[in-house]
Amino acid sequence: MADYLDYWFTASDGLRLYVRDYPNDDAPFPVLCLHGLTRNSADFEALADVLAPRYRLLVMEQRGRGRSDYDPDPANYQIGTYVRDTLDLLNALSLEKVALIGTSMGGLMSMIMGGMQPQRFNGMVLNDIGPVVESAGLARIQGYVGKGGPVQTWEDAVSAARANNEAAFPGLSDAQWLAFAQRLFRENADGRPEPAYDAAIAQPMRADTSAAVPPDMWALFGDLAGIPMLVIRGALSDILSARTAAEMVGRHPTARVVEVPDRGHAPLLIEPAALEAIGGFLDSL
């Protein structure tokens, strides 16, 4: 696994947030990786192994995930707050030009930030997300986030991970499912696995889906025309439809779509097709 440094910074409201920093003094520009709703920095380990020799990677953990502070006010678990935190990070590091790789929620954040500060981003990879989030997929995610009974063993953790995700990842081996669970769970003080996120992240999106998916994203998407774009789509995705992906290409002057076979939401970025596409895209910037 590629080496990284632990970096913490303080968000504007005082929470302490965590970032994996894969340093590279020879990189032409840094790459900021943003995870999905319930995920964390471990999701980008395979990608970092491929990209770290050529780029500096910053893999941020949003509040309430991984090693970042949990927010005492669950109302702050919404996409506008995450965007503000991420811009706080870029300002803390004095980064004026970065490329973005965003999975699911991280891709929504990328589009919002690109609309707000287009001059700051020289490229954008959207992993299985676009301006339209399919209602069936959103309902599926709402059905399991922050729920579930206690997990006593790693076998239980694997079973829970498979129950929520097996349809999206057919053909994963037992070893790959264990690795999947080890990215989603962590050991608590008693040595038992527990989800590596605050269950309270689900509260705002249950009350109002705009906390997770802003409305009228097509209008925002139009503001991204000057940012080179790669869209990764899982062929089985219930979040990013083939129709939406095709419309993204039609509306954006440089966007192209790479479809990953036998993957739903969202490709794990361990797949050769995804790794090759992302590496080639960044090298072209």
Side-chain angles (χ1 to χ4, degrees):
M1 187 171 67
D3 293 333
Y4 60 87
L5 304 174
D6 295 326
Y7 177 77
W8 278 268
F9 73 102
T10 302
S12 56
D13 63 357
L15 260 64
R16 192 167 182 253
L17 306 181
Y18 174 74
V19 183
R20 291 191 189 190
D21 185 351
Y22 295 82
N24 187 326
D25 293 337
D26 297 322
F29 51 84
V31 179
L32 175 62
C33 300
L34 302 171
H35 59 70
L37 180 66
T38 64
R39 312 300 297 189
N40 58 69
S41 61
D43 273 6
F44 293 96
E45 288 175 346
L47 185 64
D49 287 342
V50 173
L51 296 183
R54 307 198 300 277
Y55 297 95
R56 179 189 183 186
L57 266 65
L58 298 163
V59 189
M60 181 179 177
E61 292 185 334
Q62 301 301 324
R63 61 179 61 207
R65 284 81 165 177
R67 300 173 71 182
S68 289
D69 283 351
Y70 287 13
D71 199 310
D73 181 2
N76 291 326
Y77 288 137
Q78 55 181 294
I79 198 161
T81 308
Y82 307 143
V83 166
R84 184 192 68 200
D85 291 341
T86 305
L87 294 176
D88 285 345
L89 168 65
L90 297 182
N91 293 335
L93 293 173
S94 300
L95 297 178
E96 297 301 326
K97 185 74 75 172
V98 301
L100 295 168
I101 300 176
T103 294
S104 192
M105 181 187 79
L108 292 173
M109 293 168 56
S110 297
M111 287 188 280
I112 293 169
M113 292 190 298
M116 293 171 63
Q117 299 184 14
Q119 76 287 348
R120 200 164 200 173
F121 305 107
N122 64 334
M124 181 181 300
V125 179
L126 302 177
N127 183 20
D128 211 60
I129 198 69
V132 176
V133 175
E134 297 299 313
S135 58
L138 182 59
R140 176 182 59 80
I141 292 170
Q142 288 176 305
Y144 70 77
V145 174
K147 300 179 181 178
V151 174
Q152 300 296 327
T153 67
W154 279 106
E155 288 77 11
D156 292 341
V158 171
S159 295
R162 292 185 74 150
N164 292 327
N165 298 281
E166 192 161 25
F169 305 112
L172 288 190
S173 66
D174 289 344
Q176 288 174 317
W177 277 115
L178 176 60
F180 187 104
Q182 289 171 335
R183 292 191 295 270
L184 186 59
F185 292 81
R186 63 183 176 190
E187 286 192 357
N188 62 20
D190 297 325
R192 292 193 296 269
E194 64 180 9
Y197 69 90
D198 184 357
I201 66 171
Q203 293 182 23
M205 66 181 291
R206 287 188 189 131
D208 181 1
T209 57
S210 67
V213 182
D216 196 21
M217 289 289 288
W218 279 122
L220 175 65
F221 188 79
D223 295 333
L224 307 178
I227 303 175
M229 180 179 294
L230 171 68
V231 180
I232 305 292
R233 179 180 180 268
L236 307 177
S237 179
D238 61 357
I239 290 289
L240 177 62
S241 70
R243 178 178 179 177
T244 296
E247 189 166 353
M248 293 166 74
V249 171
R251 294 195 186 199
H252 191 285
T254 63
R256 69 183 185 96
V257 176
V258 171
E259 193 163 88
V260 181
D262 297 321
R263 286 291 185 266
H265 184 74
L268 302 173
L269 305 186
I270 63 174
E271 303 88 358
L275 294 173
E276 181 179 356
I278 293 171
F281 174 75
L282 292 176
D283 290 348
S284 73
L285 297 177

